[in-house]
Amino acid sequence: MSIRKIVTFTEDVLIEGGREVSPAARVAVVAAIVKNPWAGQGFVEDLTEGIDANASDLGALLAPRVLKALGSPAEAYGKAAIVGLNGEIEHGSGLIHTLAFGNHFRDAANATTLLPAVEKRGPAGVVFDIPLKHITDATIRSHHQSIEVRINDAPHPDEIVIALAAAAQGRPQQRLADFSTESK
């Protein structure tokens, strides 16, 4: 696995809707910019070798970093794979849609739900939103949120941005009722 760089950032919302958010609502993102393991090979029928060689290592690298950046237990989480223009969306999907990748984050966060994801292809600096949902109950509306990400020089055409995001809480000032309160 060839990693060009790792980007880490946090966002703390202090005021939402004109009211103080206390404690501040924190979301953390950690992204690894990696060489696409299938770059320059043309159409690869079986992606298994590249997935086996990279997915678990990426999950093991990113999961503890995003939780450390969050600085609190995660209540919501998500993932992303943004493929450079010379790759296929399937290349990014192959790396993040495997238990070898996702279980590192689930285990570290004591989570049980599927990780929501975004996959897309784009040029360096492409904007993408990572969706987040509650770590143990995907029906909890307060934790359905997203974080916007942009890395100015990534992905290069032969790279993939692999990212994890975690939130220490639901949306700031959320006030929607749980799904279970609605009649059909």
Side-chain angles (χ1 to χ4, degrees):
M1 178 173 54
S2 175
I3 300 173
R4 179 166 62 87
K5 70 178 185 176
I6 298 173
V7 176
T8 303
F9 74 87
T10 58
E11 173 182 277
D12 293 305
V13 177
L14 307 174
I15 297 174
E16 179 71 25
R19 293 187 177 191
E20 181 181 348
V21 177
S22 182
R26 173 167 276 195
V27 180
V29 176
V30 176
I33 293 77
V34 302
K35 178 142 178 85
N36 184 333
W38 302 281
Q41 297 181 35
F43 186 85
V44 177
E45 188 67 40
D46 184 355
L47 302 178
T48 304
E49 185 177 329
I51 292 167
D52 289 348
N54 296 284
S56 182
D57 290 343
L58 284 166
L61 172 74
L62 296 176
R65 285 178 180 244
V66 74
L67 293 174
K68 182 178 179 184
L70 187 63
S72 298
E75 289 187 13
Y77 65 169
K79 61 186 174 182
I82 312 304
V83 181
L85 294 176
N86 289 347
E88 300 173 37
I89 293 170
E90 190 72 357
H91 296 162
S93 295
L95 293 175
I96 67 169
H97 290 303
T98 174
L99 295 177
F101 175 80
N103 278 348
H104 289 285
F105 201 7
R106 267 186 288 282
D107 292 346
N110 296 312
T112 56
T113 58
L114 291 175
L115 274 155
V118 62
E119 310 88 6
K120 71 188 269 185
R121 181 176 33 241
V126 65
V127 175
F128 57 98
D129 290 350
I130 302 176
L132 292 94
K133 292 195 178 188
H134 195 276
I135 64 168
T136 60
D137 185 349
T139 67
I140 296 176
R141 283 187 177 148
S142 60
H143 289 61
H144 291 204
Q145 56 189 310
S146 61
I147 181 80
E148 185 176 283
V149 179
R150 179 184 176 274
I151 302 170
N152 67 328
D153 69 342
H156 289 173
D158 63 346
E159 291 179 334
I160 304 174
V161 175
I162 302 293
L164 294 178
Q169 70 298 306
R171 294 182 311 279
Q173 314 296 20
Q174 78 80 26
R175 46 201 179 272
L176 299 179
D178 286 342
F179 284 123
S180 62
T181 65
E182 288 186 16
S183 60
K184 296 183 181 195

